[in-house]
Amino acid sequence: MARVCSVCGKGKVSGNTVSHSNRHNKRTWSPNLRKVRAIVDGTPKRLNVCTRCLRSGSVERAV
């Protein structure tokens, strides 16, 4: 299972850690995902959703 938001498609991004001596090492940043029950097409479903989508109201939570 990929670490990708089911709503916006946000996934891992890559870049470099840069030390004080300016050495570069590869690293990744993961999205802040939560496994939530959301209403999709009228039925509750388990989705991986990033917290930005939860805060913005893009997801209708199932109770």
Side-chain angles (χ1 to χ4, degrees):
M1 178 194 70
R3 300 273 300 164
V4 176
C5 177
S6 302
V7 177
C8 65
K10 185 186 289 187
K12 279 190 172 184
V13 291
S14 61
N16 290 303
T17 54
V18 182
S19 70
H20 183 65
S21 61
N22 209 29
R23 292 176 65 128
H24 288 60
N25 293 303
K26 286 301 232 178
R27 64 155 292 180
T28 58
W29 287 267
S30 297
N32 191 4
L33 296 180
R34 297 285 172 251
K35 194 171 271 189
V36 297
R37 286 182 66 223
I39 303 229
V40 179
D41 298 329
T43 59
K45 240 181 162 178
R46 281 221 179 267
L47 299 175
N48 279 332
V49 180
C50 68
T51 52
R52 178 60 59 96
C53 289
L54 286 174
R55 280 184 5 206
S56 67
S58 302
V59 179
E60 186 181 346
R61 300 284 299 262
V63 178

